[in-house]
Amino acid sequence: MSESSWTPQDLVSRSQEAKGFSYSPYSSFRVGAALLTTDQQLYTGCNVENACNNLGICAERTAICKAVSEGHRSFKAIAVASDMMDHYISPCGGCRQFMREFGLQWDVYLSKPDGSFIKKTVEELLPVSFGPEDLRRKKAVPASENSL
Amino acid sequence: MSESSWTPQDLVSRSQEAKGFSYSPYSSFRVGAALLTTDQQLYTGCNVENACNNLGICAERTAICKAVSEGHRSFKAIAVASDMMDHYISPCGGCRQFMREFGLQWDVYLSKPDGSFIKKTVEELLPVSFGPEDLRRKKAVPASENSL
Amino acid sequence: MSESSWTPQDLVSRSQEAKGFSYSPYSSFRVGAALLTTDQQLYTGCNVENACNNLGICAERTAICKAVSEGHRSFKAIAVASDMMDHYISPCGGCRQFMREFGLQWDVYLSKPDGSFIKKTVEELLPVSFGPEDLRRKKAVPASENSL
Amino acid sequence: MSESSWTPQDLVSRSQEAKGFSYSPYSSFRVGAALLTTDQQLYTGCNVENACNNLGICAERTAICKAVSEGHRSFKAIAVASDMMDHYISPCGGCRQFMREFGLQWDVYLSKPDGSFIKKTVEELLPVSFGPEDLRRKKAVPASENSL
Ligand SMILES: [Zn+2]
Ligand SMILES: [Zn+2]
Ligand SMILES: [Zn+2]
Ligand SMILES: [Zn+2]
């Protein structure tokens, strides 16, 4: 598919396909994601659960890790899909923070199984956010004093 | 201290004290939190880092886990403190989701070392949120079909 | 209770009590933990789950965070309890790494509801471990070359 | 590359290449992984850190999520690479648990930058493990009594 040919609807469709690979034996809550890089590469992801539930990984983070591990760090949009019939699936706070690491001004499509969706920016989903800049700000106490 | 005597400024002070226990040898970024339950109990927390950085736990989650492990699940407010001189410390997305598990309409105080703070509700920090209700919604695909 | 009076059986009992506070609506798998510091303070914990399951926190990590947030970083033993009738509950890998941050040579009691238990050291549960020392080892590539 | 042509040394080499994509601005500790499925597909991963350090994802989990999101759940081996000159990089406890979800009897190659490596099974790295079976065991207390 040539550059600029990905529509939001395409992303939603791909996120729905990705949902099919979900490994979610514990919640039976399948989620899929489709991430578009600024240079028009597409990466999909699904949730991967674990018997120790807090060690699982969400679909959105799976997609972003895939892209980063192939050399991409600049993203244009991500679509998210679930099986909830009448409700747009929205990313958890952990995924919002994971997205925010790579910028505040890119798009998140929250979809329903019928393909309808609403669009939010990362910043709209994570206002007043903590981010990479905060780690470089001037501190009241020098780092050297509180490291072990 | 008697019931209803906790002021927002008290919470901020307690979060600053809690920051002193931070175990943050890797980031040298100390964070403290002070959580007030609806029945006026106060629980503090600090960040606890790990050599495998993604296994660490934030100050806000520490405080909430402490309260839950003592029988509390209804919260009124949480204050957060860091060493950033000129910037209000804001909870990460993971902590926002952790707070949201216990309700959307309670207060978060983002503070500076000088004790000044701004107030946000959990819902303001995590709009259009994913939550416990979503796991019970009607699904397009029966759970039995996609469990292993 | 005076110093040195805590027996392994006491720890197991306290971990069973702590299990009663478990917030585990998603897995219905309750876990409790009781941690003994080297200066004989005892901290309990339970698992605290989240609608986004990977943001939950295990009982063992709750107990350790509580202790750290009260100024303790040196531990003697931790007991873990669950509802599994015929099987000793064992810590997940994430908790083993979290324990290991504070040393390899302390004890973990894996228990059953009838109070019976087996003892392992942290090192036995996490052999050939990654740890704090690794972050300080000599690298083939200078840090300055691969930071952003 | 045809079936059965992947050697352990190939996996180590691919994990070293994958390390080059590491997003680790906070720790400057680069890690790469290369995962071989039982049907001879290879997936690579790197660590992806976050300003909120506990939301980052390890190289091993990235590789496994990639494979799962492409339909693979049966694995033969995984190699791990870091920049530590004189020390074999070993997976954290979280990654060991993540590997264990997909079986105990597959191989983990811990490598050095010079390409040398040692082999462990998942079970050797995570003895007496908690796993998927535990969630199905008979409980002393019925699930219905302790769910919310
Ligand atoms: Zn998520
Ligand atoms: Zn946080
Ligand atoms: Zn655990
Ligand atoms: Zn790891």
Side-chain angles (χ1 to χ4, degrees):
Chain A
M1 208 172 275
S2 70
E3 190 170 323
S4 82
S5 61
W6 292 102
T7 66
Q9 192 56 63
D10 290 332
L11 283 187
V12 169
S13 296
R14 293 297 302 273
S15 71
Q16 291 175 329
E17 290 171 32
K19 187 181 64 179
F21 291 118
S22 167
Y23 175 76
S24 42
Y26 307 112
S27 71
S28 294
F29 194 94
R30 304 188 305 166
V31 184
L35 172 72
L36 186 63
T37 69
T38 50
D39 51 357
Q40 297 290 319
Q41 299 300 302
L42 194 138
Y43 291 90
T44 58
C46 62
N47 54 333
V48 181
E49 297 188 344
N50 195 274
C52 174
N53 51 25
N54 62 56
L55 291 172
I57 296 183
C58 292
E60 301 92 318
R61 278 178 266 181
T62 292
I64 294 173
C65 283
K66 284 172 78 169
V68 170
S69 73
E70 308 281 336
H72 302 275
R73 296 180 185 181
S74 178
F75 307 122
K76 193 168 180 180
I78 189 168
V80 193
S82 84
D83 291 319
M84 291 190 293
M85 281 203 74
D86 306 315
H87 200 75
Y88 298 108
I89 176 73
S90 191
C92 78
C95 287
R96 295 176 190 199
Q97 188 74 47
F98 208 77
M99 294 172 187
R100 185 259 180 275
E101 184 74 20
F102 302 99
L104 283 163
Q105 299 306 329
W106 52 293
D107 295 332
V108 186
Y109 301 111
L110 320 183
S111 79
K112 287 183 189 171
D114 65 7
S116 62
F117 64 88
I118 53 174
K119 185 178 87 167
K120 297 282 175 183
T121 64
V122 173
E123 186 162 35
E124 286 171 336
L125 293 176
L126 200 71
V128 199
S129 66
F130 179 81
E133 302 79 18
D134 291 332
L135 296 172
R136 296 186 289 265
R137 292 187 201 280
K138 189 180 173 194
K139 288 183 188 174
V141 176
S144 58
E145 287 184 22
N146 59 53
S147 53
L148 293 189
Chain B
M1 207 171 275
S2 70
E3 189 169 323
S4 82
S5 62
W6 292 102
T7 66
Q9 192 57 62
D10 290 332
L11 283 188
V12 169
S13 297
R14 293 297 302 272
S15 71
Q16 291 176 329
E17 289 171 33
K19 187 180 64 179
F21 292 119
S22 168
Y23 175 76
S24 42
Y26 307 111
S27 70
S28 293
F29 193 94
R30 303 188 306 166
V31 184
L35 172 73
L36 185 62
T37 69
T38 50
D39 51 356
Q40 297 289 320
Q41 298 300 303
L42 194 138
Y43 290 91
T44 58
C46 63
N47 53 333
V48 182
E49 297 188 344
N50 194 274
C52 172
N53 52 24
N54 62 56
L55 290 172
I57 295 184
C58 291
E60 301 93 318
R61 278 179 266 180
T62 292
I64 294 173
C65 282
K66 282 172 80 168
V68 170
S69 73
E70 307 281 337
H72 302 275
R73 297 180 184 181
S74 178
F75 307 121
K76 192 168 180 181
I78 189 169
V80 193
S82 84
D83 291 319
M84 291 190 292
M85 281 203 74
D86 306 315
H87 200 75
Y88 298 108
I89 177 73
S90 191
C92 78
C95 286
R96 295 176 189 200
Q97 188 74 48
F98 207 77
M99 293 171 188
R100 185 260 181 273
E101 184 74 20
F102 303 99
L104 283 163
Q105 300 305 327
W106 52 293
D107 295 331
V108 186
Y109 300 111
L110 320 183
S111 79
K112 287 183 190 172
D114 66 7
S116 63
F117 64 88
I118 53 174
K119 186 179 87 168
K120 297 282 175 182
T121 64
V122 173
E123 185 161 36
E124 285 171 337
L125 293 176
L126 199 71
V128 200
S129 65
F130 179 82
E133 303 79 18
D134 291 331
L135 296 173
R136 296 187 289 265
R137 292 187 202 281
K138 189 180 172 194
K139 289 183 189 174
V141 177
S144 58
E145 286 184 24
N146 60 53
S147 54
L148 294 188
Chain C
M1 209 172 274
S2 71
E3 190 169 322
S4 82
S5 63
W6 293 102
T7 66
Q9 192 56 62
D10 290 332
L11 282 188
V12 169
S13 296
R14 292 297 301 273
S15 71
Q16 290 175 329
E17 289 171 33
K19 187 180 65 178
F21 292 119
S22 167
Y23 175 76
S24 43
Y26 307 112
S27 71
S28 294
F29 193 94
R30 303 188 307 166
V31 184
L35 173 72
L36 185 63
T37 68
T38 50
D39 50 357
Q40 297 290 320
Q41 299 300 303
L42 193 138
Y43 290 90
T44 58
C46 62
N47 54 333
V48 181
E49 297 189 343
N50 194 274
C52 173
N53 51 24
N54 62 57
L55 291 172
I57 295 183
C58 291
E60 300 93 318
R61 278 178 264 180
T62 291
I64 295 172
C65 283
K66 283 172 78 168
V68 171
S69 73
E70 308 280 336
H72 302 276
R73 296 179 185 182
S74 178
F75 307 122
K76 192 168 181 182
I78 189 168
V80 193
S82 83
D83 292 318
M84 290 190 294
M85 280 202 75
D86 306 315
H87 201 75
Y88 298 108
I89 177 73
S90 192
C92 78
C95 287
R96 294 176 189 198
Q97 188 73 48
F98 208 76
M99 293 170 188
R100 185 261 180 272
E101 184 76 18
F102 302 99
L104 283 163
Q105 299 307 327
W106 51 293
D107 294 332
V108 186
Y109 300 111
L110 321 183
S111 79
K112 287 185 190 171
D114 66 7
S116 62
F117 63 89
I118 53 174
K119 185 179 90 167
K120 297 283 176 183
T121 63
V122 173
E123 185 162 37
E124 285 171 336
L125 293 176
L126 199 72
V128 200
S129 65
F130 178 83
E133 303 79 18
D134 291 332
L135 297 173
R136 297 186 289 266
R137 292 187 201 281
K138 189 179 172 195
K139 289 184 188 174
V141 176
S144 59
E145 285 185 24
N146 60 52
S147 54
L148 294 189
Chain D
M1 207 172 273
S2 71
E3 189 169 323
S4 83
S5 62
W6 293 101
T7 67
Q9 192 55 62
D10 290 331
L11 283 188
V12 169
S13 297
R14 293 297 302 273
S15 71
Q16 291 176 328
E17 289 171 33
K19 187 181 64 179
F21 291 119
S22 167
Y23 175 76
S24 42
Y26 307 113
S27 71
S28 294
F29 194 93
R30 303 188 307 166
V31 184
L35 173 71
L36 185 62
T37 68
T38 50
D39 50 356
Q40 297 290 320
Q41 300 300 303
L42 193 139
Y43 291 91
T44 58
C46 62
N47 54 333
V48 181
E49 297 188 345
N50 194 274
C52 174
N53 52 24
N54 61 57
L55 291 172
I57 296 183
C58 291
E60 300 93 318
R61 278 179 266 181
T62 292
I64 294 173
C65 282
K66 283 171 79 167
V68 170
S69 72
E70 308 280 336
H72 301 276
R73 296 180 185 181
S74 179
F75 307 122
K76 193 169 182 182
I78 189 168
V80 193
S82 84
D83 292 319
M84 291 189 294
M85 281 201 73
D86 306 315
H87 201 75
Y88 297 108
I89 176 73
S90 191
C92 77
C95 287
R96 294 176 189 199
Q97 188 73 48
F98 207 77
M99 293 170 188
R100 185 261 179 273
E101 184 75 19
F102 302 100
L104 283 163
Q105 299 307 327
W106 52 292
D107 295 331
V108 186
Y109 300 111
L110 320 183
S111 78
K112 287 185 190 170
D114 65 7
S116 62
F117 63 89
I118 53 174
K119 186 179 88 168
K120 297 282 176 183
T121 64
V122 173
E123 186 162 35
E124 285 171 336
L125 293 176
L126 199 71
V128 200
S129 65
F130 178 82
E133 303 78 19
D134 291 332
L135 297 172
R136 296 187 289 266
R137 291 187 201 281
K138 188 179 172 195
K139 289 182 188 174
V141 176
S144 59
E145 286 185 24
N146 60 53
S147 54
L148 295 188

